[in-house]
Amino acid sequence: MLRRAMADPIFDDLNDEQTAAVAHGEGPLMVLAGAGSGKTRVVTRRIARLLRDGVRSGQILAMTFTNKAAGEMAHRVQQLGGEFVRVATFHSACARFLRHEGHLLGYPADYSIYDTQDRDAVIKELLTDHGLTSTQVKPAAVGQWISKLKNAALKPADAMLGDHDIGRVVERLWTPYHERMHKQGAMDFDDLLGNFLQILREFPAVAERYQARFPWLLVDEFQDTNRIQYDLLKLLCPPPGNVCVVGDPDQSIYGFRGAEIRNILDFEDDYAGTTVVRLEQNYRSTANILHAAEAVIANNKMRKQKRLRTDNPPGTPLLRLKATGATEEAATIVDRIGQLRDEGAPLDQVAIFYRAHWLSRGLEQALKDKGVPYEIVGGLTFFERREIKDLLAYLRVLVNPLDDVSMARIVNVPPRGLGKAGLEKLRQAAFAEGMSLREVIDAPQLHAQLGPKARKGLQELARTLAVAKAAAAHGAHGALRVILEGTGYLQHATGFGDAEDSTREENIAELVSDTVEFDRADRDPADGEDAAGSGLAGYLQHVALLTSADTQGEGPAVQMMTVHAAKGLEFDHVSIAGLDEGVFPSMRTADDPEGIEEERRLFYVALTRARKTLLLASARERMVGGSIESMRPSRFLRELPAELLENHTPSWRRYEADDDGANSTGWSVTPDPEALAALRSGVRVRHDLYGPGVVRRLAGRGMTARAVVRFDDGVEREFVLEYAGLKLLEDIQF
C-alpha cells in the first residue's frame, strides 16, 4: 500500500494540487500543468514518492521528449534520495527494447539506426533504380513525406498525397524503401516507434511481458505526443493502468512535427475513471502578464478548462509598441534593452522572440549598431544560414573572381551534375593553367573530362554569372535577382518537402529586402564618400562586418530565438517582435481554424515565458521580398485586455522638461503644420536617435507623408512624418 510520511521532504514545499498529483495512488492520472506551475517538480517528486513507498525502480518507465530533459529528470530524482530510475525518450526506450524483440520482425539484435542523411541516401539509390534523379525529386522531400505518414500511423493508400511528383514517388517507393531497409538490417528513427508498436500488436505475449515489467508509466509533455506514441502508451499500459500523463493542451505547439492535441483532449475518454489534477498556481509571472495570457488563450476551443492564478504582484503594464516600420521596431526594442541594462537587468535575462527566423536580421542589425551582445538560441544568426551563405558566395564571386572558396561552394549548388570528382577535375585544370575556379568556369575547352550534364550546367552558370556581373554595376539587388532567376536557387532551396522549406523562402526574401534597403541607402553618396563602400562590394563589406565574430562580445548577452525555441525557458524581460497579421499568426494558417488555435497557443507560450516585463511590437509597414507592404496588427493583440496595456514610446521621442517642444507628459509632440510645410529636399534636420541629416526626398500627404533622410553616418532612413519627431536645422543647398 502507498503511504505518505507527514514530515516527508518530498511534500514539504508543495501546494495542495501538487501534493494531490504526487500522492495519487493506483489508476490513471492526468496532470494539467499550466505554465510556470512546477510541472517538473511534480513529475520528479511523484517518481521519488513511488520509490520511497516500495515500488522498485525497474518497475517505473518515465518518458519525455529530449535526452537532456530525461537526464535532468533522472538526476533530480536521485537528488531526492531515490535510486536510479529509467527516464528515456520514446525513441531511446523503443531502440533498447528492439535490441531484444526486433528478431520477431526479422531484424538482427545489432541492427543499424539510420539518421535522416542515411535515410535519404537509401532513397537516392532507389530513385536511381527507378529511373529518377535527385534533381527531379529530392530524396529529402521523399523522406520527409515517408516520415509524416509514419508518425500519423498511415500508409500512402490511407492518405491524400495529391497529384504531384512527390506524392507519386512516395507511393512508388514506399514498399521498396522498407524492403531495402529491412534487407540492410536498418531502421530509421520513425521505425524505432513503428516497429516496436507492430511487435506489441502482433505478439500479445510480448505486450503482456512489458506491461508486467513496467506497471508504472509516466509521460511528460504529453500534449506533444503523436499518434504512434499514444498508441504505444495504450499498449504498454492499457486502461485502467497506472499511467500518469503530464502536459498542457494550451502549450501544444508542435503540430508541424506530427503532435496531436487530441491525445490529451481524449485521454479521459480512453482511460475511464481518470483522476484529473490541475496545477493552476503560477510561480513565474506577474499577475498582469498572467491575466493577459489567460485572456488570449480563452479564445481557443480545443483546450481543457483551467484558470491560472498567482500570488505575485501585478507588476507593470504590458508595453505596446506600434512602430512605423521594421527599422523603428528593432531600434525601439534595442533602446528598451538599453534602459533595462541601465536599470541593472542582466542581459542574459533579456530575450527577444519572433515567430519567423527572417525577422532576426533587422534585430541583429540594431543590436550590433548599439554594441549590445546577443546570442541566437537554438539556431543560426541570419547570415550564417546555409541558403544565405550560398547566395552571398555567388555575390562574392562576382566581386572577386579569385575567391576559390566561394566558387567551390556554389559550383554545384543547385546540382549541375558535377559532384566531388568533377570539382576535383576543375581544381586540377585551374592549377595546371594558373587560373582561378571562376576563370575555369568560363573556359569550356577545359571541361572536356566532365560529363555532358556537367558541361551544360557549367555553361549555364557562366552565362548567369556574366549577366549578374553586369547587373552588379547598378547595385546588390540587381545582382542577387539575376542569381536567383538564372540558377533556380529559390526552387532548389524550397523543394525539400520539409517544414523548413517556407523558412528558407522567407530568409531568401529577407536577403532580397536587405539588398534593396542597402542600395536605397547607397544612392546619391555624400561628397567625398569612399566609393569602395558602395555598390555590391560595399554590400559584401557591410555583411562581412555584421557577421564578424568580434561583434558578439563576451559575457552575458541578450537571448534571441523563435517562440518555438523558447518553449521551456523563462526570462525576466521579454520583447516579442513581428506581431502582425500574416507574420504572427503565420499567413499559412489564415484559413485554418485549427492552425489559428495552434498559433494562439504559440503566442500564449511566448507571453508566459516572461517573469517581469513584456514588450509587444508590431509595424505599420515591412519590406517583404524587396517591396514595402502595409501590415495590420496581429489579431492576438486585440484579444489582450486594454487595461493591461500601455503604449510604449522610444526614448528618442521623449524630451526633458526644459527641452523645446516638450509637453507636460514628457513625450515628444508632432511637428506643427508650419514646420512640416518647411520640409523639402535639401533641408537639414535632426532626429533624436540618428542625429543630424539631410532630407533627400518627400512623398505622400497627410498621415501618409514620409521623408527619406540621409544621416551624417551615411545611412539613409525613411520616416512617416507624423511619427518621426524630426527637428528643422539650417537650410542647405547642394
Side-chain angles (χ1 to χ4, degrees):
M1 178 177 291
L2 301 174
R3 59 191 184 278
R4 172 186 171 188
M6 295 304 294
D8 194 334
I10 289 176
F11 291 93
D12 282 351
D13 56 352
L14 302 183
N15 63 33
D16 291 344
E17 292 88 355
Q18 292 171 334
T19 298
V22 171
H24 175 78
E26 297 182 346
L29 169 67
M30 180 165 65
V31 181
L32 295 175
S37 64
K39 169 182 68 68
T40 304
R41 172 184 295 186
V42 167
V43 174
T44 54
R45 299 292 180 90
R46 177 166 175 78
I47 295 173
R49 200 274 301 167
L50 289 172
L51 294 172
R52 186 166 298 182
D53 282 8
V55 176
R56 298 193 308 274
S57 62
Q59 295 179 305
I60 300 172
L61 175 59
M63 290 188 286
T64 186
F65 280 83
T66 66
N67 290 313
K68 180 181 177 182
E72 290 177 351
M73 197 177 297
H75 178 67
R76 288 177 67 167
V77 171
Q78 290 180 293
Q79 283 184 319
L80 290 167
E83 54 191 301
F84 173 79
V85 66
R86 186 180 304 284
V87 184
T89 66
F90 276 91
H91 288 85
S92 62
C94 290
R96 179 181 294 270
F97 300 154
L98 283 166
R99 296 295 177 192
H100 303 283
E101 317 298 345
H103 67 91
L104 296 171
L105 299 181
Y107 286 91
D110 57 351
Y111 68 89
S112 299
I113 300 175
Y114 281 6
D115 62 18
T116 53
Q117 289 185 337
D118 298 328
R119 177 202 68 191
D120 295 345
V122 173
I123 294 173
K124 185 176 182 179
E125 292 176 359
L126 292 171
L127 287 171
T128 301
D129 292 346
H130 286 74
L132 298 169
T133 67
S134 57
T135 55
Q136 293 172 301
V137 178
K138 289 184 173 60
V142 177
Q144 286 289 334
W145 268 101
I146 290 175
S147 178
K148 288 178 183 179
L149 290 171
K150 289 182 180 180
N151 283 315
L154 298 173
K155 295 181 179 179
D158 305 320
M160 297 294 292
L161 295 181
D163 186 23
H164 52 75
D165 291 342
I166 297 295
R168 289 192 292 269
V169 171
V170 169
E171 291 178 353
R172 192 173 173 185
L173 296 189
W174 178 270
T175 299
Y177 170 73
H178 290 94
E179 290 176 345
R180 179 72 59 88
M181 292 287 287
H182 191 274
K183 182 180 178 180
Q184 296 178 180
M187 302 184 201
D188 61 30
F189 285 136
D190 302 313
D191 289 332
L192 298 176
L193 305 184
N195 286 343
F196 188 59
L197 177 62
Q198 182 181 347
I199 289 172
L200 295 180
R201 283 174 169 165
E202 295 182 2
F203 300 91
V206 175
E208 292 172 5
R209 175 155 42 91
Y210 278 90
Q211 292 162 13
R213 179 180 174 183
F214 299 113
W216 297 91
L217 258 67
L218 295 94
V219 180
D220 191 22
E221 302 289 3
F222 185 61
Q223 77 279 349
D224 295 333
T225 53
N226 61 27
R227 169 72 180 276
I228 293 288
Q229 290 160 339
Y230 192 29
D231 287 348
L232 277 168
L233 175 66
K234 288 187 286 188
L235 281 170
L236 287 169
C237 188
N242 299 324
V243 59
C244 170
V245 298
V246 183
D248 181 6
D250 291 339
Q251 298 185 70
S252 178
I253 59 174
Y254 296 115
F256 65 95
R257 294 182 187 169
E260 293 193 9
I261 191 174
R262 296 248 45 111
N263 293 347
I264 195 168
L265 298 178
D266 294 342
F267 184 81
E268 290 177 82
D269 295 331
D270 295 334
Y271 284 81
T274 293
T275 297
V276 179
V277 176
R278 290 173 168 81
L279 303 185
E280 299 177 313
Q281 179 77 24
N282 178 281
Y283 295 96
R284 177 187 300 158
S285 305
T286 66
N288 283 344
I289 291 173
L290 195 62
H291 293 160
E294 285 289 291
V296 170
I297 202 62
N299 291 279
N300 270 9
K301 297 179 180 179
M302 298 175 63
R303 63 189 303 258
K304 292 279 189 180
Q305 288 303 316
K306 67 179 187 307
R307 187 72 179 178
L308 291 184
R309 63 183 186 278
T310 184
D311 294 331
N312 293 336
T316 60
L318 282 65
L319 299 179
R320 174 72 176 93
L321 169 62
K322 303 174 183 177
T324 57
T327 300
E328 182 179 276
E329 175 189 55
T332 306
I333 289 173
V334 175
D335 175 70
R336 168 66 178 161
I337 290 171
Q339 295 173 13
L340 292 170
R341 181 166 57 177
D342 292 344
E343 294 167 5
L347 284 184
D348 57 5
Q349 282 303 313
V350 178
I352 305 175
F353 298 162
Y354 34 81
R355 174 64 180 88
H357 288 283
W358 62 270
L359 288 163
S360 74
R361 184 196 62 80
L363 294 162
E364 289 182 61
Q365 173 76 64
L367 288 163
K368 289 176 185 291
D369 284 349
K370 291 299 179 182
V372 179
Y374 68 91
E375 295 177 356
I376 303 288
V377 177
L380 302 171
T381 65
F382 180 81
F383 289 105
E384 290 175 335
R385 291 166 185 144
R386 181 173 182 174
E387 60 275 14
I388 302 304
K389 293 185 73 173
D390 285 347
L391 291 170
L392 291 177
Y394 271 104
L395 297 180
R396 283 196 294 269
V397 167
L398 301 181
V399 172
N400 179 14
L402 300 179
D403 186 348
D404 280 0
V405 171
S406 294
M407 192 70 243
R409 181 184 182 97
I410 53 89
V411 69
N412 200 43
V413 179
R416 299 184 175 92
L418 193 63
K420 292 182 180 179
L423 177 57
E424 184 56 31
K425 291 177 182 178
L426 289 181
R427 290 184 190 276
Q428 293 173 0
F431 180 79
E433 298 293 332
M435 294 180 171
S436 68
L437 278 177
R438 172 69 186 90
E439 292 169 322
V440 170
I441 301 302
D442 279 338
Q445 70 275 13
L446 300 178
H447 306 167
Q449 297 183 41
L450 303 177
K453 181 178 179 181
R455 293 198 300 271
K456 180 180 179 183
L458 292 182
Q459 290 173 7
E460 293 174 349
L461 174 60
R463 284 194 294 271
T464 297
L465 292 176
V467 176
K469 174 74 172 177
H474 304 289
H477 173 241
L480 179 59
R481 179 176 54 78
V482 171
I483 293 297
L484 287 171
E485 293 176 358
T487 65
Y489 186 87
L490 180 61
Q491 293 77 10
H492 161 75
T494 59
F496 289 91
D498 60 22
E500 293 299 305
D501 276 355
S502 57
T503 297
R504 288 187 286 268
E505 182 174 6
E506 290 167 345
N507 290 340
I508 291 170
E510 182 64 11
L511 182 66
V512 171
S513 294
D514 192 40
T515 59
V516 170
E517 290 180 348
F518 183 88
D519 287 349
R520 179 180 296 174
D522 192 48
R523 293 192 194 110
D524 303 323
D527 291 341
E529 183 177 301
D530 184 3
S534 63
L536 179 56
Y539 178 71
L540 292 172
Q541 174 182 295
H542 160 77
V543 169
L545 293 174
L546 285 179
T547 56
S548 175
D550 61 7
T551 62
Q552 297 291 328
E554 297 180 357
V558 172
Q559 305 296 291
M560 293 179 61
M561 68 201 76
T562 64
V563 183
H564 281 102
K567 179 73 159 52
L569 304 178
E570 55 186 68
F571 303 92
D572 286 345
H573 310 283
V574 170
S575 297
I576 308 175
L579 285 168
D580 311 303
E581 282 293 306
V583 179
F584 198 173
S586 167
M587 68 176 65
R588 294 186 292 276
T589 64
D591 299 320
D592 178 11
E594 290 190 10
I596 288 294
E597 290 215 354
E598 179 157 326
E599 292 285 305
R600 186 177 284 111
R601 292 193 294 269
L602 193 59
F603 185 52
Y604 173 81
V605 165
L607 296 176
T608 55
R609 300 309 94 194
R611 297 191 192 101
K612 298 178 180 179
T613 71
L614 264 170
L615 186 148
L616 310 174
S618 63
R620 179 181 295 182
E621 295 178 341
R622 290 189 189 277
M623 183 173 286
V624 181
S627 60
I628 295 291
E629 292 188 9
S630 297
M631 311 299 291
R632 291 184 295 116
S634 169
R635 69 189 71 188
F636 302 147
L637 292 170
R638 298 193 296 272
E639 296 171 357
L640 295 166
E643 65 272 15
L644 299 180
L645 299 175
E646 177 182 287
N647 286 331
H648 179 67
T649 303
S651 66
W652 61 85
R653 290 190 189 159
R654 303 168 190 161
Y655 298 158
E656 298 296 335
D658 56 353
D659 276 355
D660 292 338
N663 59 24
S664 59
T665 65
W667 302 99
S668 65
V669 294
T670 303
D672 61 54
E674 291 183 4
L676 288 176
L679 284 178
R680 63 185 185 277
S681 179
V683 168
R684 195 157 175 80
V685 296
R686 174 180 291 278
H687 188 278
D688 284 319
L689 175 64
Y690 301 116
V694 176
V695 176
R696 307 297 291 184
R697 53 189 174 275
L698 298 167
R701 294 184 178 183
M703 295 182 64
T704 65
R706 60 187 67 234
V708 174
V709 180
R710 186 177 185 88
F711 290 93
D712 289 357
D713 62 3
V715 178
E716 239 179 42
R717 298 177 173 91
E718 186 172 3
F719 300 92
V720 176
L721 292 178
E722 182 184 4
Y723 302 98
L726 295 174
K727 297 178 181 178
L728 291 172
L729 298 177
E730 71 273 17
D731 190 4
I732 66 169
Q733 300 293 330
F734 60 96

